[in-house]
Amino acid sequence: MKVEDLKKFIRDIPNFPKEGIVFKDITPLLKDSIAFRFTIDRICEYNSRKTIQKVVAMEARGFIFGSAVAYKLGCGFVPVRKRGKLPYETISLEYQLEYGTDVLEIHKDGIEKNDNVLIVDDVVATGGTAKAVANLVEKCGGKVAGMSFVIELSFLTPRVKLEGYDIFSLLVF
Ligand code: AMP
């Protein structure tokens, strides 16, 4: 399989979840054993020379890829969730959305000081979510060793917002 072959496993859903958005549905990729493994292997290959202690991913689709990457890299997995979802004491960060703000949370013992952290998500669009997750990791004393995405929507220029971070995107649209 070649990286470009993966594009046929990404389904465009126009006007979901709202008018004007073309949603990149990754479920065809997930259900294909070869495509899913290929995706995880390429992300791990890119990050293999780094020493990473934790993979951090944002709910919900980030968990699917993030946990598989953590397993293969042999490091821990730490979830980031929306406000009020995590059961233990949390560290939180408010971040800007297109309209208004939102709050992300992580368990306060999720990241050790100076942990090297890899942030994983399915799609990077504007980069706002990844930036907020990075800021939360840094607030916990961790270092962001990289960010890896299955899909980058380059027309939304996420790399501008994420300048300074080592970004890997498997598929660029
Ligand atoms: P952003 O903060 O704009 O980079 O958006 C990233 C988050 O929203 C990721 O967690 C994605 O899962 C989701 N997302 C944004 N745009 C899309 C899209 N067109 N298709 C699928 N997911 C998206």
Side-chain angles (χ1 to χ4, degrees):
M1 181 175 276
K2 292 197 288 292
V3 171
E4 282 301 302
D5 297 336
L6 268 188
K7 284 197 175 174
K8 64 172 184 282
F9 295 98
I10 308 297
R11 179 163 53 196
D12 279 357
I13 312 283
N15 303 316
F16 182 88
K18 51 185 176 186
E19 203 65 30
I21 306 256
V22 179
F23 189 84
K24 295 289 185 195
D25 176 19
I26 46 86
T27 61
L29 183 154
L30 293 176
K31 77 171 178 185
D32 186 277
S33 59
I34 294 171
F36 185 37
R37 177 174 282 178
F38 181 84
T39 300
I40 300 303
D41 286 350
R42 295 294 80 71
I43 291 174
C44 292
E45 198 172 73
Y46 179 84
N47 291 290
S48 63
R49 286 173 302 281
K50 297 176 183 160
T51 306
I52 291 161
Q53 281 82 36
K54 306 276 166 56
V55 169
V56 169
M58 170 67 187
E59 68 175 300
R61 292 179 303 277
F63 290 177
I64 300 169
F65 294 102
S67 59
V69 168
Y71 174 80
K72 179 140 182 142
L73 290 178
C75 54
F77 176 83
V78 181
V80 170
R81 301 200 65 182
K82 295 277 177 69
R83 194 197 333 237
K85 304 277 190 187
L86 287 169
Y88 182 55
E89 289 173 60
T90 58
I91 294 173
S92 61
L93 184 110
E94 190 174 78
Y95 71 111
Q96 207 66 40
L97 294 175
E98 201 180 347
Y99 305 104
T101 61
D102 215 338
V103 174
L104 295 184
E105 294 183 334
I106 192 167
H107 275 156
K108 70 170 193 183
D109 61 356
I111 306 287
E112 310 277 330
K113 196 168 163 48
N114 293 325
D115 267 355
N116 284 317
V117 172
L118 176 66
I119 294 170
V120 175
D121 207 352
D122 64 334
V123 175
V124 64
T126 65
T129 306
K131 181 83 196 276
V133 173
N135 290 343
L136 187 55
V137 165
E138 288 156 356
K139 192 174 173 181
C140 297
K143 290 188 273 194
V144 178
M147 300 178 171
S148 289
F149 307 102
V150 181
I151 296 165
E152 174 179 337
L153 303 182
S154 60
F155 53 91
L156 295 172
T157 65
R159 286 174 190 258
V160 174
K161 197 170 268 169
L162 301 173
E163 211 198 316
Y165 294 109
D166 178 31
I167 300 166
F168 172 72
S169 307
L170 199 50
L171 296 173
V172 179
F173 288 90

